[in-house]
């Protein structure tokens, strides 16, 4: 993938209308790429959840049960009631964690905080991505939004410009801003850990390996061992 080429051409090399046409074509292509990446990630996430998600969740539950049984046994052997006095803390529900992340993003990027209409447009685009991540349980994307200082700077940049007539210069500026917003979306997807798993799975599939099925089978073997361990502790 080539980097975003939104820099103006050399003086006299192209007129503004030609540059506008070039950027409009580039914007359409980048929007199409973003939509394709979103669809690919959504499809892979559904497959990953179906094939691997269930076994991984079961293994996590068994490991928690083993940890609790081990703590209880240690407490009983010590005779000090530690297991009852110091129960293992409950992890916060996934939904609550997502809600906290989403509202943290909203505090930074909500359009109500915009200084002008142009900045509001930027913030709307970012909040649309945050809403998508919240709906799909994508905590990593929300964390990425929160930690992206470059995105925060970009969102607040170019404040205070007048809303004059949409002349060629203004149209050029707006097209470049839209391109940057789309680029941020593409960047976040390509950095997503699940997307990296997808890429590795595709590479192995080309060699005849189904890494998701192998992961699920490996997890089921771990589940069998964990069950035996839990029975031994009970």
């Amino acid at each position: 993938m080539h980097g975003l080429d939104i820099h103006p051409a050399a003086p006299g090399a192209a007129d503004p209308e030609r540059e506008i046409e070039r950027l409009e074509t580039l914007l359409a292509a980048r929007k199409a790429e973003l939509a394709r990446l979103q669809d690919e990630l959504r499809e892979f996430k559904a497959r990953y959840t179906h094939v691997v998600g269930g076994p991984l969740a079961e293994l996590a539950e068994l490991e928690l049960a083993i940890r609790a049984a081990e703590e209880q046994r240690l407490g009983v052997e010590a005779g000090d009631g530690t297991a009852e006095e110091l129960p293992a803390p409950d992890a916060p529900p996934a939904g609550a964690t997502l809600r906290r992340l989403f509202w943290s993003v909203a505090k930074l990027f909500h359009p109500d905080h915009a200084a002008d209409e142009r900045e509001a447009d930027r913030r709307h685009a970012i909040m649309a991505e945050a809403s998508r991540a919240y709906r799909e349980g994508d905590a990593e994307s929300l964390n990425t939004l929160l930690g992206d200082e470059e995105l925060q700077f970009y969102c607040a940049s170019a404040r205070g410009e007048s809303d004059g007539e949409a002349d060629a210069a203004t149209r050029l500026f707006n097209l470049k801003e839209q391109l940057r917003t789309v680029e941020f979306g593409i960047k976040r997807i390509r950095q997503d850990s699940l997307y990296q798993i997808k890429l590795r799975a595709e590479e192995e599939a080309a060699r005849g390996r189904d890494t998701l099925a192998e992961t699920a089978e490996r997890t089921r073997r771990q589940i069998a061992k964990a069950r035996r361990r839990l029975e031994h502790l009970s």
Side-chain angles (χ1 to χ4, degrees), residues 108-109 113-123 126 149-162 173-174 176-178 180-181 184:
L108 279 176
F109 297 113
H113 305 319
D116 54 37
E117 185 176 350
R118 193 168 291 140
E119 184 183 342
D121 288 342
R122 297 191 191 106
R123 291 174 176 269
I126 295 165
E149 294 182 0
E150 183 182 358
L151 179 58
Q152 294 170 29
F153 174 79
Y154 155 73
C155 186
S157 66
R159 290 184 175 179
E161 298 189 16
S162 62
F173 178 84
N174 289 338
K176 291 176 182 179
E177 295 301 282
Q178 291 179 61
R180 287 191 180 97
T181 299
F184 278 122

Side-chain angles (χ1 to χ4, degrees), residues 93-163:
T97 300
L98 280 171
R99 281 193 295 273
R100 283 198 297 271
L101 286 171
F102 179 81
W103 286 115
S104 294
V105 172
K107 287 178 182 178
L108 279 176
F109 297 113
H110 198 281
D112 286 351
H113 305 319
D116 54 37
E117 185 176 350
R118 193 168 291 140
E119 184 183 342
D121 288 342
R122 297 191 191 106
R123 291 174 176 269
H124 275 298
I126 295 165
M127 287 306 301
E129 168 66 9
S131 296
R132 191 275 316 160
Y134 180 74
R135 286 194 309 272
E136 298 180 8
D138 186 357
E140 182 163 355
S141 288
L142 292 172
N143 275 313
T144 300
L145 286 171
L146 284 174
D148 196 330
E149 294 182 0
E150 183 182 358
L151 179 58
Q152 294 170 29
F153 174 79
Y154 155 73
C155 186
S157 66
R159 290 184 175 179
E161 298 189 16
S162 62
D163 296 326

Side-chain angles (χ1 to χ4, degrees), residues 32-234:
E33 181 176 0
L34 177 58
R36 177 181 61 80
L37 289 172
Q38 290 171 332
D39 289 342
E40 287 179 358
L41 184 58
R42 190 178 299 112
E43 181 180 346
F44 181 77
K45 184 176 183 179
R47 182 181 169 220
Y48 184 89
T49 300
H50 176 72
V51 176
V52 181
L56 286 176
E58 183 178 356
L59 180 60
E61 290 178 1
L62 284 168
E63 288 174 343
L64 284 174
I66 289 171
R67 190 176 304 120
E70 288 174 338
E71 290 174 355
Q72 184 176 21
R73 171 170 286 195
L74 286 173
V76 170
E77 290 176 353
D80 59 4
T82 301
E84 285 72 25
E85 292 172 11
L86 298 174
D90 293 329
T97 300
L98 280 171
R99 281 193 295 273
R100 283 198 297 271
L101 286 171
F102 179 81
W103 286 115
S104 294
V105 172
K107 287 178 182 178
L108 279 176
F109 297 113
H110 198 281
D112 286 351
H113 305 319
D116 54 37
E117 185 176 350
R118 193 168 291 140
E119 184 183 342
D121 288 342
R122 297 191 191 106
R123 291 174 176 269
H124 275 298
I126 295 165
M127 287 306 301
E129 168 66 9
S131 296
R132 191 275 316 160
Y134 180 74
R135 286 194 309 272
E136 298 180 8
D138 186 357
E140 182 163 355
S141 288
L142 292 172
N143 275 313
T144 300
L145 286 171
L146 284 174
D148 196 330
E149 294 182 0
E150 183 182 358
L151 179 58
Q152 294 170 29
F153 174 79
Y154 155 73
C155 186
S157 66
R159 290 184 175 179
E161 298 189 16
S162 62
D163 296 326
E165 182 180 354
D167 56 14
T170 302
R171 290 162 63 195
L172 280 169
F173 178 84
N174 289 338
L175 282 168
K176 291 176 182 179
E177 295 301 282
Q178 291 179 61
L179 279 164
R180 287 191 180 97
T181 299
V182 172
E183 284 293 330
F184 278 122
I186 292 173
K187 170 186 170 184
R188 284 193 293 274
I189 290 179
R190 292 190 179 279
Q191 290 178 340
D192 187 278
S193 61
L194 189 59
Y195 188 79
Q196 296 300 315
I197 293 173
K198 170 187 173 297
L199 294 179
R200 289 193 294 272
E202 289 172 346
E203 289 176 0
E204 294 301 324
R207 301 184 180 98
R209 289 183 58 198
D210 187 341
T211 54
L212 292 190
E214 291 176 4
T215 300
E217 179 58 30
R218 186 165 57 249
T219 305
R220 281 190 283 269
R221 290 196 295 269
Q222 292 175 303
I223 287 171
K225 290 174 62 177
R227 284 175 177 163
R228 291 194 294 270
R229 173 63 176 162
L230 186 59
E231 289 172 0
H232 177 73
L233 289 168
S234 299

